[in-house]
Amino acid sequence: MAHAWRWLRSLVFVGQMYATMALMAVFFTPLAMLDRKWAFAAVRTYCRWVRWTARWMVGLRSEVRGAVPQDEVLVCAKHQSFFDIILIVSEVPRPKFIMKRELRWAPVLGWYALRIGCVPVDRGRRGRAIQQMVDGVEKDRAHPGQLIIYPQGTRVAPGHYLPYKIGPAILYDKLAQDCVPVATNVGVFWPRTGIYRKPGLAVVEFLPRIETGMDQRAFMARLETEIEGASNRLMEEAGFHPAGQSVP
């Protein structure tokens, strides 16, 4: 009975989340068309709304730890569900993501993603995706911000492993900027798919910077070790023990 009640609360929460997205779009879109700052205001306001309603509607508290970057940096983040995007965007001042190309056509979400400077790429074509990524980043360098990429390229459920892709190393070289790794445990509470949301404390943690100047191989090894190690620690803190989740 308790599980059914929590599932119903989760359904109501998800419904209002998307209804609010539409309502905020009606209000913010005319302003965002005139000035890009309103697009950032819109996405930040929405993400904070989702965090607040998750807390009292489904008992899912959230916390952002570590030093949130305010300057122009490369952010490489663990991706487990939509909620880690929510937490990052609610705190980072000028976020722009490397995103899969299909999201361009998502209602509301796609337009705002492009407006804040997200870079769409074809994930299934490695060579083309890398070139699209580099070209898109170069095109938008006139608008400084925090460029966010998911090193594994997609959402990865707790307890599962996917190898890290070369994209972050290419951007690290190309941009000559510090890299901020980000760990999370949100997938323990908010799954990749489905309606049910578990109560608890979801955390996104900004880890110490990796300064510019490392070679690509050393950079990728350090990035993966730090993100996976910190994410495992956060998942264990949440009561999930990711057996076999160590970096190969």
Side-chain angles (χ1 to χ4, degrees), residues 36-230:
R36 199 180 194 187
K37 71 179 183 181
W38 287 105
F40 287 109
V43 296
R44 187 175 303 109
T45 300
Y46 175 72
C47 289
R48 290 177 177 176
W49 170 266
V50 173
R51 290 181 66 181
W52 180 66
T53 53
R55 183 184 184 96
W56 66 266
M57 292 186 75
V58 294
L60 179 54
R61 296 170 293 125
S62 56
E63 181 177 304
V64 175
R65 299 177 184 173
V68 178
Q70 305 295 310
D71 54 333
E72 195 171 6
V73 295
L74 175 65
V75 175
C76 293
K78 182 75 172 176
H79 189 22
Q80 293 183 335
S81 77
F82 185 48
F83 202 43
D84 52 66
I85 297 177
I86 294 290
L87 268 62
I88 290 172
V89 175
S90 71
E91 299 291 337
V92 170
R94 290 290 183 271
K96 47 185 179 179
F97 291 80
I98 302 295
M99 69 178 193
K100 60 183 180 181
R101 198 169 187 83
E102 304 93 286
L103 287 177
R104 295 179 63 185
W105 314 114
V108 181
L109 185 64
W111 185 85
Y112 273 93
L114 294 176
R115 188 65 175 131
I116 65 174
C118 294
V119 179
V121 299
D122 291 313
R123 290 191 309 176
R125 303 178 179 180
R126 180 178 174 182
R128 183 176 178 183
I130 289 173
Q131 191 59 52
Q132 287 175 337
M133 181 179 67
V134 171
D135 290 347
V137 169
E138 283 295 329
K139 182 179 178 181
D140 202 58
R141 290 196 79 166
H143 300 94
Q146 297 76 42
L147 179 65
I148 303 161
I149 185 170
Y150 294 113
Q152 291 167 296
T154 189
R155 295 166 295 178
V156 180
H160 294 266
Y161 175 80
L162 280 180
Y164 279 45
K165 300 179 182 295
I166 194 63
I170 293 172
L171 290 176
Y172 174 75
D173 267 353
K174 185 74 174 176
L175 297 173
Q177 295 172 356
D178 290 352
C179 171
V180 179
V182 179
T184 191
N185 68 0
V186 301
V188 173
F189 309 101
W190 184 311
R192 295 168 63 244
T193 58
I195 297 296
Y196 187 67
R197 307 288 184 260
K198 296 179 182 178
L201 178 62
V203 178
V204 156
E205 182 175 352
F206 289 88
L207 305 173
R209 293 180 179 225
I210 301 175
E211 295 184 352
T212 58
M214 296 182 69
D215 67 64
Q216 289 191 8
R217 187 182 296 274
F219 167 73
M220 289 303 300
R222 178 175 171 184
L223 182 71
E224 184 167 357
T225 298
E226 293 188 3
I227 291 177
E228 293 301 309

